[in-house]
Amino acid sequence: MRVGIGHDTHRLGALRPLILGGLRIDYPKGLHGHSDADVVLHALTDAMLGAAGLGDIGDAYPDTDPIYKDADSAVFVRETIVKLNQKGYRVVNVDVTIFAQEPKLGTIKGRMREHLAAMLGLETDAVNVKAKTGEKVGSIGRGEAIGCQVAVLIDACV
Ligand code: MG
């Protein structure tokens, strides 16, 4: 078994849809970024790459590459799963923590959990989604950014 951790933060305030964990969230502001700026899927991708010893998302999917402009970040997750499988690993479980002062994510966590589990080919029980505010402190607390941390356990496929 191997463990990986991923973290990401993006600036909030773009005139584009807010995408978190592959879901379009009903909110008037989106996240700035080269791709769709989904901090959850970016942190998840980095956690999986880290667990497998495969570097980081910036190496794998450079934000200077026009092919990833406005890209659906589910592509990064799906491709990383393939890379893990090619190295003989599978994902065991995933624990996600989202840091957002706004919007409130309490009613979205359950749907995101199921969506991430489906994306990863896992039982819902193997994915956990937590949401925290920034306690109105710092850039996240002022609503200037949204962050995410993800821990992933992988093991060797038999
Ligand atoms: Mg990112």
Side-chain angles (χ1 to χ4, degrees), residues 46-59:
D46 249 350
M48 292 193 294
L49 290 170
L54 289 169
D56 68 27
I57 190 171
D59 294 334

Side-chain angles (χ1 to χ4, degrees), residues 34-36 57 59-73 75-76 79:
H34 183 65
S35 65
D36 67 4
I57 190 171
D59 294 334
Y61 308 103
D63 64 6
T64 49
D65 190 334
I67 202 169
Y68 301 122
K69 177 101 177 76
D70 298 320
D72 176 356
S73 295
V75 169
F76 307 151
E79 287 190 8

Side-chain angles (χ1 to χ4, degrees), residues 8-10 37-39 42 57:
D8 198 23
T9 305
H10 279 255
D38 188 330
V39 288
H42 293 185
I57 190 171

Side-chain angles (χ1 to χ4, degrees), residues 2-132:
R2 299 170 62 125
V3 69
I5 188 164
H7 177 267
D8 198 23
T9 305
H10 279 255
R11 261 188 320 121
L12 185 62
L15 294 172
R16 65 195 301 210
L18 176 61
I19 311 291
L20 290 175
L23 300 177
R24 189 172 173 145
I25 311 293
D26 186 22
Y27 191 65
K29 293 180 277 187
L31 293 167
H32 290 277
H34 183 65
S35 65
D36 67 4
D38 188 330
V39 288
V40 177
L41 297 191
H42 293 185
L44 171 60
T45 299
D46 249 350
M48 292 193 294
L49 290 170
L54 289 169
D56 68 27
I57 190 171
D59 294 334
Y61 308 103
D63 64 6
T64 49
D65 190 334
I67 202 169
Y68 301 122
K69 177 101 177 76
D70 298 320
D72 176 356
S73 295
V75 169
F76 307 151
V77 174
R78 284 196 291 266
E79 287 190 8
T80 302
I81 292 169
V82 171
K83 290 176 187 172
L84 258 63
N85 292 343
Q86 285 170 344
K87 277 196 85 172
Y89 294 113
R90 64 178 175 187
V91 176
V92 177
N93 79 294
V94 172
D95 188 18
V96 175
T97 307
I98 304 167
F99 300 87
Q101 191 67 41
E102 293 178 2
K104 294 287 176 266
L105 298 170
T107 59
I108 294 160
K109 288 185 294 184
R111 193 154 56 94
M112 190 180 300
R113 182 185 197 187
E114 291 185 2
H115 187 72
L116 292 174
M119 191 182 295
L120 293 161
L122 298 173
E123 298 292 326
T124 307
D125 179 61
V127 178
N128 194 72
V129 177
K130 310 188 294 293
K132 304 187 78 66

